[in-house]
Amino acid sequence: MTNLLIKLFIKDKNVEKPETRAKYGMLSSITGIVVNILLSAVKLIIGIFANSISIISDALNNVTDAGSSIVTMIGFKVSQKKIDKDHPWGHGRMEYITAFIVDILIVLVGVELFKSSFDKIIHPTLPDISTVTIVILVIAVLTKLWLFIFYKKIAKTIDSTAIKGNAYDSISDSISTFVVLLSAIVAKIFGVSIDGYASILVAIFILFTGFKALKETIDLLLGMKPDIEFVEKLEEFTKKYEMISGIHDIMVHDYGPGRKIVSFHAEVPANCDICKAHDVIDQMEQDIYDEFNCITTIHMDPIVTDDEEINEMRKKTEEIVKKINSEFSIHDFRMTDGGDRINLIFDLVVSPENKMSHEELKSMVQQKIHSVNNKYYAVPKIENSYI
């Protein structure tokens, strides 16, 4: 069914195109709206006739899901707006904002359902459950499972946080409706009302899903470290340029799906032709745009590669740093000879998990390098990794 809908409504499968991505988003949203409104209407009717608070709660949850799909649809529409003078990086992050709104709605529904369930526990009434009610609930569970698979496929295809949030919501709904179904079966077979307790379980599932999705969306809005696979591909891609000795200080800014801004430092031999190096850097920026669809700014770092002493001490310094912490690294290494004193100047990149203070770490590195040869004095500049 999922593949059929995609085949019918989306002709161009190139998700790198903003207009194609928007079509996937609209298909996802419209499908969610239609399915959830139908489910809500059917559940509300049988919930009222069966006098079941858990079924009515589940129906109201589906209304919220339809609202979430509407918000997601608006977000996709706005995110596709062209750049303007106030938003030079476009409106891609609007998709994250709408995902945040959807997550908040999920949490609010969970809270309200949790509160209303207590009244049903204090004043329990036996719901009037028919075989038709049970059959409809089974169909609802299966429908929500399909909607979860549908959302999951679309989210993966276009890398959408908003649709991923809808997928989380759908699997939570499927579990919630299954709990309601069990409550209905217990009432029908044993004549015991566990309706209020089932409704609380529904609320807990909704809250758990909402807070999980909310955390992921907030992380995106705050700014997360880039995907490690993307960084590895980028590093591997730059190795094909013979003049480039290595790259460091990689930063990736996310302005919405498909809108990455990348910057890094590229090391070139200090004795190379500066104009030729500049041409290589320019070409690399264009090639990265063509390959990864992201705007890149590259800073050129000249390093000495043909001095035996510098190469040896660079290697030795890196070994010292790695023994302190295998995740640490150095770059921009250079030496200045003052006669009796030789300064080893370099940037020391530490991981975010590092517990040592910068002063403590700096002192440790200085002592270890000075012990190699008392004429060597380390001058490290400590900085945090952004990847």
Side-chain angles (χ1 to χ4, degrees):
M1 185 66 176
T2 301
N3 291 331
L4 178 62
L5 286 173
I6 292 173
K7 187 176 180 180
L8 286 174
F9 294 99
I10 301 174
K11 305 304 179 185
D12 188 350
K13 301 301 187 295
N14 184 6
V15 295
E16 297 299 327
K17 294 181 178 179
E19 57 271 22
T20 303
R21 198 171 183 283
K23 287 179 182 178
Y24 272 99
M26 294 298 286
L27 172 63
S28 167
S29 299
I30 292 171
T31 303
I33 292 168
V34 172
V35 170
N36 281 303
I37 286 177
L38 288 175
L39 283 175
S40 177
V42 173
K43 287 180 185 177
L44 191 60
I45 291 169
I46 64 173
I48 291 171
F49 279 102
N51 189 31
S52 170
I53 183 64
S54 60
I55 296 176
I56 294 172
S57 297
D58 210 28
L60 295 176
N61 185 33
N62 287 139
V63 172
T64 308
D65 294 342
S68 299
S69 294
I70 293 172
V71 173
T72 302
M73 182 168 63
I74 294 171
F76 265 97
K77 198 72 176 175
V78 176
S79 69
Q80 299 307 312
K81 285 179 63 178
K82 302 295 183 182
I83 63 172
D84 54 44
K85 64 178 182 178
D86 294 322
H87 307 94
W89 303 116
H91 300 76
R93 282 182 176 168
M94 183 56 70
E95 191 175 325
Y96 298 158
I97 293 172
T98 53
F100 178 79
I101 294 171
V102 168
D103 299 338
I104 291 292
L105 289 174
I106 294 171
V107 171
L108 289 176
V109 167
V111 170
E112 288 302 316
L113 292 185
F114 194 85
K115 290 191 296 185
S116 65
S117 301
F118 279 100
D119 182 61
K120 196 66 176 179
I121 292 173
I122 297 170
H123 306 99
T125 55
L126 189 65
D128 181 17
I129 303 298
S130 66
T131 303
V132 174
T133 299
I134 293 174
V135 171
I136 290 173
L137 289 176
V138 170
I139 294 172
V141 171
L142 295 176
T143 302
K144 271 295 186 175
L145 276 174
W146 172 79
L147 198 58
F148 164 73
I149 295 169
F150 172 76
Y151 280 141
K152 196 76 173 175
K153 182 177 178 65
I154 298 292
K156 185 177 180 181
T157 301
I158 64 174
D159 187 25
S160 169
T161 303
I163 297 177
K164 187 179 178 182
N166 287 336
Y168 280 139
D169 193 24
S170 292
I171 193 62
S172 175
D173 288 348
S174 184
I175 295 170
S176 301
T177 306
F178 182 71
V179 172
V180 172
L181 174 61
L182 290 179
S183 170
I185 293 173
V186 168
K188 183 172 178 62
I189 296 176
F190 300 102
V192 177
S193 175
I194 59 170
D195 206 31
Y197 299 100
S199 186
I200 280 184
L201 286 176
V202 171
I204 290 172
F205 280 125
I206 292 170
L207 285 169
F208 175 79
T209 304
F211 280 118
K212 186 179 187 317
L214 190 60
K215 180 186 179 304
E216 292 184 5
T217 306
I218 289 173
D219 286 342
L220 284 169
L221 289 169
L222 287 176
M224 295 177 64
K225 72 175 186 178
D227 178 52
I228 189 65
E229 185 180 349
F230 171 76
V231 174
E232 288 173 352
K233 285 181 179 179
L234 182 64
E235 289 175 334
E236 189 63 31
F237 186 81
T238 60
K239 289 179 181 178
K240 71 178 185 178
Y241 300 89
E242 292 182 8
M243 187 176 285
I244 307 301
S245 303
I247 66 172
H248 57 264
D249 283 351
I250 301 172
M251 296 185 187
V252 181
H253 303 278
D254 186 349
Y255 285 89
R259 296 172 177 84
K260 287 186 176 67
I261 311 297
V262 178
S263 66
F264 59 83
H265 292 204
E267 296 171 348
V268 299
N271 59 356
C272 72
D273 183 328
I274 191 70
C275 292
K276 184 177 179 181
H278 183 266
D279 287 343
V280 170
I281 295 294
D282 272 355
Q283 186 60 51
M284 188 191 298
E285 289 176 342
Q286 182 59 49
D287 292 345
I288 290 174
Y289 180 81
D290 295 337
E291 180 71 17
F292 300 100
N293 191 37
C294 55
I295 298 171
T296 307
T297 301
I298 303 174
H299 173 78
M300 185 168 59
D301 274 345
I303 62 169
V304 176
T305 58
D306 56 357
D307 186 296
E308 187 175 334
E309 184 182 7
I310 290 178
N311 290 338
E312 183 181 344
M313 281 312 301
R314 181 190 294 113
K315 183 179 179 182
K316 184 65 179 177
T317 302
E318 191 156 16
E319 288 174 357
I320 289 171
V321 166
K322 290 290 185 183
K323 283 181 181 178
I324 297 173
N325 190 315
S326 60
E327 294 186 359
F328 291 177
S329 63
I330 66 168
H331 58 76
D332 285 350
F333 186 91
R334 57 195 185 277
M335 293 170 60
T336 57
D337 192 343
D340 294 335
R341 173 190 177 111
I342 297 178
N343 287 334
L344 278 59
I345 306 167
F346 56 91
D347 291 346
L348 171 55
V349 183
V350 301
S351 60
E353 291 78 18
N354 171 53
K355 301 301 181 184
M356 283 189 290
S357 69
H358 285 193
E359 285 304 315
E360 182 184 0
L361 179 57
K362 183 177 180 180
S363 177
M364 183 184 296
V365 172
Q366 287 173 333
Q367 289 173 16
K368 288 181 179 295
I369 288 178
H370 194 60
S371 66
V372 174
N373 189 321
N374 59 15
K375 70 177 181 179
Y376 291 139
Y377 290 83
V379 187
K381 175 189 174 186
I382 301 175
E383 56 187 39
N384 292 318
S385 172
Y386 293 99
I387 59 175

